[in-house]
């Protein structure tokens, strides 16, 4: 820990590392909701959860993402550990999933193997809005089958995720063909850019020698202008590539899923072949686009990593970017459910009993709120009111001695003495009523979309 004294003689406070971000409790609604939507989609579409380590061998990404990509050239957090191994904080998860596929012999499972993941990725990019050095992705991968229906299912899933969140997005799609088609295209593209070399930014001048495809997604204005008139890969696809792409598009048409054919979608990673797509926020034309998610087919990746030929496809979504858009568009996100009961106590003996009762009620299936550290009953009832709870149970000294408990109806303020041994039985009767009543309220309030500040502190 950095303990260098500051100029004022105080100990320097440790700070967040540049480009990192704390996820605060005030954002938890967003994280929990997105996780729930993702889990639901995974279940509905038959994807199983898989988790791979954050630390991987550097070579895994050099071989898969490609040596001439920005990620490998300059963005990986890499270090040599005490044992002399060169490790990196993973910049993405597809390569790790393919490594796991090969290493655990998933080829012996029924194909395709469908997995999803959720976790931190690390890229040492220049921090700016929506770009962090640690960010979170969830992703879906379908491995072991090259049929275009898999590409379409993944695109449908990605699109449905945004629909479920009530976010209006646009799907940008392209085909990058197989390696052979791409090599042909690269030559033509390099010729085009050579004839405009003077107008290229310094980075692109270097990229031109190493990997001309990277020029197409350069964000510099003069390069973006040149990309508009550049030759398009679609004209260099083989017959099989074209057939595959046409089939994917036919599935999307059948689904009535709107898409834009975008010849400049190249993706920043070298492992793609054939289908490549990105999801962008649907914004005014001309607005600076930064992708919410992206993916595509990567049929050659397993072989690059020493496995058998394994056609595969997938996508990943950047969770911070999704949250930023939900906030910007003030989309209503449901908060946690209102607890069933509030449990109030008065005095040391009742606090002891209350902690035990809390656990018994939880085991009996009730959600219970409390404020055990407060002594005053008034303050505890205020909390119950703030949480909008209908029933408060009150345990005081008298109730402990009598073997009873008070049921307080929070709306009317009336209180009823109930035998302590009957508490669960009595609650069951009343809570069912409350739950039914709340269900009715929920359906009624669906139409008007509540404002964000009503929900998120
Ligand atoms: P990617 O396009 O590099 O693809 O990343 C996917 C998403 O992660 C991006 O669209 C963006 O939302 C988010 N993202 C990327 N970098 C940052 C950053 N520095 N800060 C915040 N968010 C970021 C992949 O990673 C591929 N593995 C996707 C894939 C899965 N392809 C096939 N399967």
């Amino acid at each position: 820990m950095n303990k260098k004294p500051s100029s004022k003689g105080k100990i320097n406070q440790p700070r967040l590392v540049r480009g990192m971000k704390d996820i605060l409790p005030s954002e938890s609604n967003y994280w929990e909701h997105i996780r729930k939507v993702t889990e639901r989609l995974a279940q509905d579409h038959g994807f199983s959860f898989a988790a791979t380590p954050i630390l991987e061998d550097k070579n895994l990404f050099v071989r898969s993402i490609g040596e001439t990509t920005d990620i490998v050239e300059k963005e990986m957090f890499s270090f040599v550990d005490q044992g002399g191994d060169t490790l990196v904080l993973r910049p993405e998860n597809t390569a790790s999933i393919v490594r796991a596929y090969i290493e655990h012999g998933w080829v012996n499972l029924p194909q395709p193997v469908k997995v999803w993941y959720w976790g931190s990725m690390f890229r040492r990019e220049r921090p700016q809005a929506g770009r962090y050095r640690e960010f979170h992705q969830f992703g879906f991968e379908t491995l072991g089958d090259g049929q275009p229906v898999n590409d379409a299912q993944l695109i449908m899933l990605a699109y449905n995720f945004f629909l479920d969140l009530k976010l209006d997005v646009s799907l940008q799609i392209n085909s990058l063909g197989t390696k052979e088609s791409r090599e042909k295209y690269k030559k033509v593209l390099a010729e085009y850019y050579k004839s405009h070399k003077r107008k290229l930014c310094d980075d692109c001048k270097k990229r031109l020698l190493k990997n001309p495809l990277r020029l197409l997604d350069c964000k510099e204005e003069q390069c973006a202008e040149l990309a508009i008139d550049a030759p398009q890969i679609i004209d260099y696809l083989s017959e099989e590539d074209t057939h595959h792409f046409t089939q994917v598009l036919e599935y999307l048409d059948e689904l009535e899923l709107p898409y834009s054919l975008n010849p400049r979608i190249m993706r920043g990673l070298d492992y793609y072949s054939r289908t490549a797509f990105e999801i962008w926020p649907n914004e005014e034309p001309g607005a600076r686009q930064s992708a919410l998610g992206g993916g595509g087919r990567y049929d050659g990746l397993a072989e690059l990593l020493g496995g058998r030929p394994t056609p595969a496809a997938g996508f990943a979504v950047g969770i911070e970017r999704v949250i930023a858009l939900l906030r910007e568009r003030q989309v209503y996100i449901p908060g946690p459910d209102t607890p069933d009961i509030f449990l109030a106590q008065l005095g040391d003996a009742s606090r002891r009993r209350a902690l035990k009762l809390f656990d018994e009620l939880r085991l009996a299936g009730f959600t219970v709120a409390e404020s055990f550290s407060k002594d005053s009953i008034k303050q505890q009832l205020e909390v119950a009111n703030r949480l909008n709870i209908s029933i408060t149970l009150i345990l005081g000294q008298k109730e402990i001695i009598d073997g009873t408990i008070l049921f307080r109806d929070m709306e009317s303020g009336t209180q009823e003495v109930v035998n302590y041994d009957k508490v669960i039985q009595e609650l069951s009767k009343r809570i069912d009523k409350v739950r039914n009543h709340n269900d009715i309220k929920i359906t009624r309030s669906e139409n008007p979309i509540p404002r964000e500040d009503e929900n998120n502190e």
Side-chain angles (χ1 to χ4, degrees):
M1 203 185 288
N2 185 2
K3 285 197 172 175
K4 213 170 70 187
S6 74
S7 53
K8 288 180 189 157
K10 285 188 195 156
I11 302 283
N12 268 348
Q13 234 180 302
R15 301 262 178 207
L16 257 180
V17 173
R18 186 167 141 79
M20 306 284 153
K21 184 175 161 291
D22 292 319
I23 298 171
L24 302 174
S26 55
E27 295 171 88
S28 62
N29 279 359
Y30 289 98
W31 287 88
E32 283 166 15
H33 184 62
I34 293 173
R35 175 90 191 198
K36 269 189 215 153
V37 169
T38 311
E39 278 175 0
R40 184 66 208 258
L41 283 170
Q43 208 177 1
D44 289 352
H45 294 81
F47 285 75
S48 311
F49 183 72
T52 54
I54 283 169
L55 274 187
E56 294 272 9
D57 193 302
K58 183 176 181 182
N59 251 326
L60 171 65
F61 299 107
V62 176
R63 276 160 75 171
S64 56
I65 299 176
E67 273 178 272
T68 58
T69 55
D70 283 353
I71 298 180
V72 169
E73 273 189 343
K74 47 190 185 201
E75 293 171 0
M76 287 204 289
F77 284 94
S78 128
F79 63 98
V80 179
D81 80 350
Q82 293 87 334
D85 293 324
T86 306
L87 305 178
V88 291
L89 298 180
R90 62 178 181 199
E92 62 105 48
N93 210 24
T94 308
S96 309
I97 293 288
V98 175
R99 177 195 53 67
Y101 181 97
I102 300 168
E103 217 163 335
H104 300 288
W106 290 355
V107 67
N108 299 313
L109 301 175
Q111 306 290 305
V113 174
K114 291 162 58 168
V115 294
W116 76 282
Y117 51 82
W118 173 290
S120 290
M121 311 293 151
F122 301 83
R123 296 182 193 174
R124 207 173 180 290
E125 296 187 76
R126 196 159 52 83
Q128 49 184 277
R131 182 163 298 163
Y132 301 100
R133 290 182 170 180
E134 182 193 13
F135 59 97
H136 295 76
Q137 284 183 347
F138 71 79
F140 287 75
E141 314 285 349
T142 301
L143 306 116
D145 193 306
Q147 300 242 31
V149 66
N150 294 302
D151 311 37
Q153 187 188 40
L154 287 158
I155 293 172
M156 174 178 82
L157 210 163
Y159 197 77
N160 280 343
F161 167 79
F162 291 100
L163 273 189
D164 284 359
L165 288 183
K166 313 224 170 358
L167 286 175
D168 182 20
V169 292
S170 97
L171 166 65
Q172 308 286 317
I173 189 166
N174 193 16
S175 173
L176 306 183
T178 47
K179 203 164 174 225
E180 294 70 40
S181 316
R182 229 165 25 248
E183 287 308 318
K184 267 193 259 157
Y185 174 60
K186 271 190 199 171
K187 284 196 189 120
V188 181
L189 195 63
E191 286 307 316
Y192 168 78
Y193 277 116
K194 268 185 212 153
S195 62
H196 295 284
K197 200 167 173 187
R198 273 182 310 111
K199 297 186 201 151
L200 293 175
C201 73
D202 288 345
D203 273 348
C204 278
K205 281 186 185 135
K206 284 183 220 145
R207 286 180 187 133
L208 181 55
L209 299 174
K210 293 190 203 160
N211 189 350
L213 294 180
R214 295 272 84 82
L215 275 72
L216 286 169
D217 48 22
C218 177
K219 300 277 186 289
E220 294 297 326
E221 207 176 320
Q222 71 274 27
C223 301
E225 267 173 31
L226 278 180
I228 297 173
D229 292 326
Q232 302 190 355
I233 190 154
I234 207 92
D235 297 323
Y236 297 86
L237 296 181
S238 67
E239 212 173 294
E240 293 82 7
D241 292 341
T242 308
H243 184 58
H244 183 97
F245 193 37
T246 312
Q247 280 179 288
V248 174
L249 298 180
E250 279 170 6
Y251 283 115
L252 301 183
D253 290 338
E254 182 75 28
L255 289 165
E256 295 182 32
L257 204 155
Y259 56 82
S260 302
L261 293 174
N262 185 338
R264 283 184 296 284
I265 296 292
M266 284 291 141
R267 313 285 295 122
L269 311 109
D270 279 355
Y271 52 60
Y272 290 107
S273 58
R274 297 196 164 158
T275 316
F277 66 95
E278 288 185 358
I279 306 270
W280 294 355
N282 220 351
E283 275 162 358
E284 296 292 308
R288 206 183 162 89
Q289 300 288 3
S290 83
L292 298 162
R297 183 154 279 289
Y298 48 92
D299 290 345
L301 182 52
E303 265 175 296
L304 270 182
L305 298 177
R308 297 188 210 173
T310 309
F315 71 92
V317 167
I319 300 164
E320 284 82 357
R321 291 195 187 167
V322 173
I323 293 179
L325 192 64
L326 287 167
R327 282 186 186 282
E328 187 188 308
R329 300 213 181 148
Q330 303 199 359
V331 177
Y332 166 68
I333 299 295
D337 292 341
T338 305
D340 296 322
I341 324 153
F342 190 88
L343 180 55
Q345 37 67 41
L346 210 60
D348 285 344
S350 41
R351 187 181 276 141
R352 272 198 297 280
R353 176 74 67 81
L355 187 61
K356 185 151 185 273
L357 180 59
F358 176 93
D359 202 38
E360 287 165 354
L361 292 172
R362 187 188 67 80
L363 288 172
F366 300 107
T367 51
V368 191
E370 46 70 33
S371 200
F372 288 146
S373 52
K374 291 199 165 53
D375 294 322
S376 133
I377 189 76
K378 185 164 169 265
Q379 282 180 345
Q380 292 180 68
L381 292 178
E382 274 167 15
V383 178
N385 269 328
R386 205 174 336 118
L387 294 174
N388 218 359
I389 296 177
S390 325
I391 302 172
T392 293
L393 306 184
I394 305 173
L395 259 181
Q397 299 295 87
K398 183 172 181 324
E399 286 73 32
I400 298 280
I401 294 165
D402 296 349
T404 57
I405 190 162
L406 293 181
F407 273 51
R408 182 182 173 94
D409 181 317
M410 295 301 289
E411 208 169 295
S412 64
T414 52
Q415 295 188 166
E416 194 183 323
V417 182
V418 170
N419 192 324
Y420 190 82
D421 298 333
K422 296 259 166 61
V423 63
I424 289 182
Q425 211 177 322
E426 280 301 315
L427 268 178
S428 302
K429 285 190 219 154
R430 294 161 206 235
I431 295 295
D432 277 350
K433 253 201 250 163
V434 172
R435 282 183 182 157
N436 289 340
H437 179 65
N438 279 345
D439 282 349
I440 296 167
K441 275 205 296 208
I442 288 161
T443 5
R444 277 210 207 106
S445 64
E446 245 175 20
N447 283 340
I449 297 181
R451 292 197 328 266
E452 188 191 29
D453 54 8
E454 285 174 358
N455 183 47
N456 299 302
E457 296 182 332

